[in-house]
Short mmCIF file of all heavy atoms in Angstrom, two decimals:
data_model
loop_
_atom_site.label_atom_id
_atom_site.label_comp_id
_atom_site.label_asym_id
_atom_site.label_seq_id
_atom_site.Cartn_x
_atom_site.Cartn_y
_atom_site.Cartn_z
N GLY A 241 108.61 113.59 78.29
CA GLY A 241 108.44 115.04 78.50
C GLY A 241 109.79 115.73 78.38
O GLY A 241 110.72 115.40 79.14
N LEU A 242 109.92 116.67 77.45
CA LEU A 242 111.21 117.30 77.23
C LEU A 242 111.65 118.14 78.42
O LEU A 242 112.85 118.29 78.68
CB LEU A 242 111.17 118.15 75.95
CG LEU A 242 110.82 117.40 74.66
CD1 LEU A 242 111.04 118.29 73.45
CD2 LEU A 242 111.62 116.12 74.52
N ASP A 243 110.69 118.69 79.17
CA ASP A 243 111.05 119.43 80.38
C ASP A 243 111.63 118.50 81.44
O ASP A 243 112.56 118.87 82.18
CB ASP A 243 109.85 120.17 80.94
CG ASP A 243 108.62 119.30 81.13
OD1 ASP A 243 108.51 118.23 80.50
OD2 ASP A 243 107.73 119.71 81.92
N THR A 244 111.10 117.28 81.50
CA THR A 244 111.65 116.30 82.45
C THR A 244 113.04 115.87 82.04
O THR A 244 113.95 115.77 82.90
CB THR A 244 110.72 115.07 82.54
OG1 THR A 244 109.42 115.50 82.97
CG2 THR A 244 111.26 114.04 83.52
N ILE A 245 113.26 115.62 80.74
CA ILE A 245 114.59 115.27 80.25
C ILE A 245 115.58 116.39 80.57
O ILE A 245 116.70 116.15 81.02
CB ILE A 245 114.56 115.01 78.73
CG1 ILE A 245 113.63 113.83 78.40
CG2 ILE A 245 115.98 114.74 78.20
CD1 ILE A 245 114.05 112.52 78.97
N GLN A 246 115.16 117.62 80.34
CA GLN A 246 116.02 118.78 80.64
C GLN A 246 116.38 118.83 82.12
O GLN A 246 117.55 119.02 82.49
CB GLN A 246 115.31 120.07 80.24
CG GLN A 246 116.12 121.34 80.49
CD GLN A 246 115.25 122.59 80.41
OE1 GLN A 246 114.19 122.65 81.02
NE2 GLN A 246 115.72 123.57 79.67
N ALA A 247 115.38 118.65 82.98
CA ALA A 247 115.61 118.73 84.43
C ALA A 247 116.55 117.62 84.91
O ALA A 247 117.44 117.87 85.74
CB ALA A 247 114.28 118.65 85.18
N ILE A 248 116.38 116.42 84.38
CA ILE A 248 117.26 115.32 84.78
C ILE A 248 118.68 115.58 84.29
O ILE A 248 119.66 115.37 85.01
CB ILE A 248 116.74 113.97 84.24
CG1 ILE A 248 115.37 113.66 84.82
CG2 ILE A 248 117.72 112.84 84.57
CD1 ILE A 248 114.68 112.47 84.16
N GLY A 249 118.80 116.04 83.05
CA GLY A 249 120.12 116.36 82.52
C GLY A 249 120.83 117.42 83.35
O GLY A 249 122.03 117.30 83.65
N GLU A 250 120.10 118.45 83.73
CA GLU A 250 120.69 119.51 84.55
C GLU A 250 121.14 118.98 85.91
O GLU A 250 122.20 119.35 86.42
CB GLU A 250 119.69 120.65 84.73
CG GLU A 250 119.45 121.46 83.46
CD GLU A 250 118.33 122.47 83.61
OE1 GLU A 250 117.54 122.34 84.58
OE2 GLU A 250 118.23 123.36 82.75
N SER A 251 120.33 118.10 86.50
CA SER A 251 120.68 117.52 87.79
C SER A 251 121.92 116.63 87.68
O SER A 251 122.81 116.68 88.53
CB SER A 251 119.50 116.72 88.34
OG SER A 251 119.79 116.17 89.61
N LEU A 252 121.98 115.83 86.63
CA LEU A 252 123.15 114.98 86.40
C LEU A 252 124.41 115.82 86.19
O LEU A 252 125.48 115.54 86.74
CB LEU A 252 122.91 114.08 85.19
CG LEU A 252 121.95 112.91 85.38
CD1 LEU A 252 121.53 112.34 84.02
CD2 LEU A 252 122.57 111.82 86.23
N TYR A 253 124.28 116.88 85.39
CA TYR A 253 125.44 117.74 85.11
C TYR A 253 125.89 118.46 86.38
O TYR A 253 127.10 118.60 86.63
CB TYR A 253 125.11 118.74 84.02
CG TYR A 253 126.31 119.60 83.65
CD1 TYR A 253 127.36 119.06 82.92
CD2 TYR A 253 126.38 120.93 84.05
CE1 TYR A 253 128.48 119.83 82.61
CE2 TYR A 253 127.48 121.70 83.75
CZ TYR A 253 128.53 121.15 83.03
OH TYR A 253 129.63 121.91 82.73
N GLU A 254 124.93 118.91 87.18
CA GLU A 254 125.26 119.61 88.42
C GLU A 254 126.07 118.72 89.35
O GLU A 254 127.01 119.18 90.02
CB GLU A 254 123.97 120.06 89.11
CG GLU A 254 124.17 120.74 90.47
CD GLU A 254 124.90 122.07 90.38
OE1 GLU A 254 124.86 122.71 89.31
OE2 GLU A 254 125.53 122.46 91.38
N GLU A 255 125.74 117.43 89.38
CA GLU A 255 126.42 116.53 90.31
C GLU A 255 127.76 116.03 89.76
O GLU A 255 128.74 115.94 90.51
CB GLU A 255 125.53 115.33 90.64
CG GLU A 255 126.15 114.38 91.66
CD GLU A 255 125.11 113.60 92.43
OE1 GLU A 255 123.95 114.04 92.53
OE2 GLU A 255 125.47 112.54 92.96
N PHE A 256 127.83 115.73 88.47
CA PHE A 256 129.02 115.05 87.93
C PHE A 256 129.87 115.91 86.99
O PHE A 256 131.00 115.54 86.69
CB PHE A 256 128.59 113.78 87.20
CG PHE A 256 127.84 112.81 88.06
CD1 PHE A 256 126.50 112.55 87.84
CD2 PHE A 256 128.47 112.17 89.13
CE1 PHE A 256 125.80 111.67 88.65
CE2 PHE A 256 127.78 111.29 89.94
CZ PHE A 256 126.45 111.04 89.71
N LYS A 257 129.31 117.01 86.49
CA LYS A 257 130.04 117.93 85.59
C LYS A 257 130.56 117.23 84.33
O LYS A 257 131.58 117.63 83.78
CB LYS A 257 131.19 118.60 86.34
CG LYS A 257 130.76 119.42 87.54
CD LYS A 257 129.85 120.58 87.15
CE LYS A 257 129.56 121.53 88.30
NZ LYS A 257 128.71 120.95 89.33
N GLU A 258 129.85 116.22 83.87
CA GLU A 258 130.20 115.53 82.63
C GLU A 258 129.47 116.20 81.47
O GLU A 258 128.24 116.35 81.52
CB GLU A 258 129.81 114.05 82.70
CG GLU A 258 130.61 113.22 83.70
CD GLU A 258 131.98 112.84 83.16
OE1 GLU A 258 132.28 113.17 81.99
OE2 GLU A 258 132.75 112.23 83.92
N PRO A 259 130.18 116.62 80.41
CA PRO A 259 129.52 117.33 79.30
C PRO A 259 128.36 116.56 78.67
O PRO A 259 127.39 117.17 78.22
CB PRO A 259 130.65 117.54 78.30
CG PRO A 259 131.90 117.55 79.12
CD PRO A 259 131.65 116.56 80.22
N LEU A 260 128.44 115.22 78.65
CA LEU A 260 127.38 114.45 78.02
C LEU A 260 126.05 114.57 78.76
O LEU A 260 124.99 114.24 78.22
CB LEU A 260 127.77 112.98 77.90
CG LEU A 260 127.73 112.09 79.14
CD1 LEU A 260 127.77 110.62 78.70
CD2 LEU A 260 128.89 112.37 80.07
N TYR A 261 126.08 115.04 80.01
CA TYR A 261 124.85 115.22 80.78
C TYR A 261 124.20 116.57 80.54
O TYR A 261 123.04 116.78 80.91
CB TYR A 261 125.13 115.07 82.28
CG TYR A 261 125.56 113.69 82.72
CD1 TYR A 261 126.56 113.55 83.67
CD2 TYR A 261 124.96 112.55 82.21
CE1 TYR A 261 126.97 112.27 84.10
CE2 TYR A 261 125.36 111.29 82.63
CZ TYR A 261 126.36 111.16 83.58
OH TYR A 261 126.75 109.92 83.99
N SER A 262 124.91 117.52 79.97
CA SER A 262 124.39 118.88 79.82
C SER A 262 123.34 118.94 78.72
O SER A 262 123.58 118.49 77.60
CB SER A 262 125.54 119.84 79.49
OG SER A 262 125.05 121.15 79.34
N PRO A 263 122.15 119.49 78.99
CA PRO A 263 121.12 119.57 77.95
C PRO A 263 121.60 120.41 76.76
O PRO A 263 122.15 121.50 76.96
CB PRO A 263 119.95 120.25 78.66
CG PRO A 263 120.16 119.96 80.11
CD PRO A 263 121.65 119.97 80.29
N PRO A 264 121.42 119.95 75.52
CA PRO A 264 121.83 120.72 74.36
C PRO A 264 120.94 121.95 74.17
O PRO A 264 119.80 121.99 74.64
CB PRO A 264 121.66 119.73 73.20
CG PRO A 264 120.70 118.71 73.69
CD PRO A 264 120.87 118.64 75.17
N PRO A 265 121.45 122.98 73.49
CA PRO A 265 120.67 124.22 73.30
C PRO A 265 119.29 123.99 72.69
O PRO A 265 118.32 124.66 73.08
CB PRO A 265 121.57 125.05 72.37
CG PRO A 265 122.96 124.58 72.68
CD PRO A 265 122.82 123.12 72.97
N LEU A 266 119.18 123.06 71.74
CA LEU A 266 117.88 122.82 71.12
C LEU A 266 116.85 122.39 72.15
O LEU A 266 115.68 122.83 72.11
CB LEU A 266 118.00 121.76 70.02
CG LEU A 266 116.67 121.33 69.37
CD1 LEU A 266 116.00 122.51 68.68
CD2 LEU A 266 116.88 120.18 68.40
N LEU A 267 117.24 121.53 73.07
CA LEU A 267 116.32 121.08 74.11
C LEU A 267 115.87 122.26 74.97
O LEU A 267 114.67 122.40 75.28
CB LEU A 267 116.98 120.01 74.98
CG LEU A 267 116.14 119.46 76.14
CD1 LEU A 267 114.85 118.83 75.64
CD2 LEU A 267 116.95 118.44 76.94
N ASP A 268 116.80 123.12 75.35
CA ASP A 268 116.44 124.30 76.14
C ASP A 268 115.46 125.18 75.39
O ASP A 268 114.49 125.68 75.97
CB ASP A 268 117.70 125.10 76.49
CG ASP A 268 118.62 124.37 77.46
OD1 ASP A 268 118.13 123.49 78.20
OD2 ASP A 268 119.82 124.69 77.48
N ARG A 269 115.69 125.38 74.09
CA ARG A 269 114.80 126.24 73.30
C ARG A 269 113.40 125.63 73.18
O ARG A 269 112.40 126.35 73.26
CB ARG A 269 115.38 126.45 71.89
CG ARG A 269 116.72 127.14 71.82
CD ARG A 269 116.68 128.58 72.30
NE ARG A 269 117.95 129.24 72.06
CZ ARG A 269 119.02 129.17 72.87
NH1 ARG A 269 118.94 128.45 73.98
NH2 ARG A 269 120.12 129.82 72.58
N MET A 270 113.33 124.33 73.00
CA MET A 270 112.03 123.68 72.87
C MET A 270 111.23 123.79 74.16
O MET A 270 110.02 124.04 74.14
CB MET A 270 112.21 122.22 72.45
CG MET A 270 112.76 122.06 71.03
SD MET A 270 113.01 120.33 70.54
CE MET A 270 111.31 119.78 70.28
N VAL A 271 111.91 123.61 75.29
CA VAL A 271 111.22 123.73 76.58
C VAL A 271 110.75 125.17 76.79
O VAL A 271 109.62 125.42 77.22
CB VAL A 271 112.14 123.28 77.73
CG1 VAL A 271 111.50 123.60 79.08
CG2 VAL A 271 112.42 121.78 77.63
N ASP A 272 111.60 126.15 76.44
CA ASP A 272 111.21 127.56 76.58
C ASP A 272 109.99 127.88 75.72
O ASP A 272 109.16 128.71 76.08
CB ASP A 272 112.37 128.47 76.17
CG ASP A 272 113.51 128.47 77.17
OD1 ASP A 272 113.29 128.04 78.32
OD2 ASP A 272 114.63 128.90 76.80
N ALA A 273 109.89 127.20 74.58
CA ALA A 273 108.77 127.44 73.66
C ALA A 273 107.51 126.66 74.04
O ALA A 273 106.47 126.80 73.38
CB ALA A 273 109.19 127.08 72.23
N GLY A 274 107.59 125.84 75.08
CA GLY A 274 106.44 125.03 75.48
C GLY A 274 106.24 123.79 74.64
O GLY A 274 105.18 123.16 74.70
N LEU A 275 107.25 123.42 73.86
CA LEU A 275 107.18 122.20 73.05
C LEU A 275 107.72 121.05 73.89
O LEU A 275 108.89 120.68 73.80
CB LEU A 275 107.99 122.38 71.76
CG LEU A 275 107.63 123.60 70.92
CD1 LEU A 275 108.56 123.71 69.72
CD2 LEU A 275 106.17 123.55 70.48
N LEU A 276 106.87 120.48 74.72
CA LEU A 276 107.30 119.55 75.75
C LEU A 276 107.13 118.08 75.36
O LEU A 276 107.45 117.20 76.14
CB LEU A 276 106.54 119.82 77.05
CG LEU A 276 106.58 121.26 77.55
CD1 LEU A 276 105.80 121.39 78.85
CD2 LEU A 276 108.01 121.76 77.72
N GLY A 277 106.62 117.83 74.16
CA GLY A 277 106.39 116.46 73.75
C GLY A 277 104.92 116.11 73.73
O GLY A 277 104.06 116.97 73.50
N LYS A 278 104.63 114.87 74.00
CA LYS A 278 103.26 114.36 73.86
C LYS A 278 102.27 115.11 74.74
O LYS A 278 101.14 115.39 74.34
CB LYS A 278 103.23 112.86 74.19
CG LYS A 278 101.92 112.18 73.81
CD LYS A 278 102.03 110.68 73.94
CE LYS A 278 100.74 110.01 73.46
NZ LYS A 278 100.83 108.53 73.56
N LYS A 279 102.68 115.48 75.96
CA LYS A 279 101.74 116.13 76.88
C LYS A 279 101.34 117.52 76.44
O LYS A 279 100.30 118.04 76.87
CB LYS A 279 102.32 116.14 78.29
CG LYS A 279 103.60 116.95 78.47
CD LYS A 279 104.12 116.78 79.89
CE LYS A 279 105.48 117.43 80.08
NZ LYS A 279 106.01 117.17 81.44
N SER A 280 102.15 118.18 75.60
CA SER A 280 101.80 119.52 75.11
C SER A 280 101.28 119.49 73.68
O SER A 280 100.87 120.52 73.16
CB SER A 280 103.03 120.44 75.19
OG SER A 280 104.01 120.09 74.22
#
Side-chain angles (χ1 to χ4, degrees):
L242 301 189
D243 52 339
T244 300
I245 299 297
Q246 180 194 49
I248 298 170
E250 289 173 344
S251 181
L252 286 165
Y253 183 73
E254 177 66 25
E255 183 154 337
F256 302 112
K257 300 298 188 290
E258 293 281 356
L260 76 164
Y261 294 139
S262 180
L266 175 62
L267 179 59
D268 292 336
R269 298 294 187 276
M270 292 179 74
V271 172
D272 288 343
L275 306 177
L276 307 181
K278 191 170 184 179
K279 63 185 173 184
S280 71

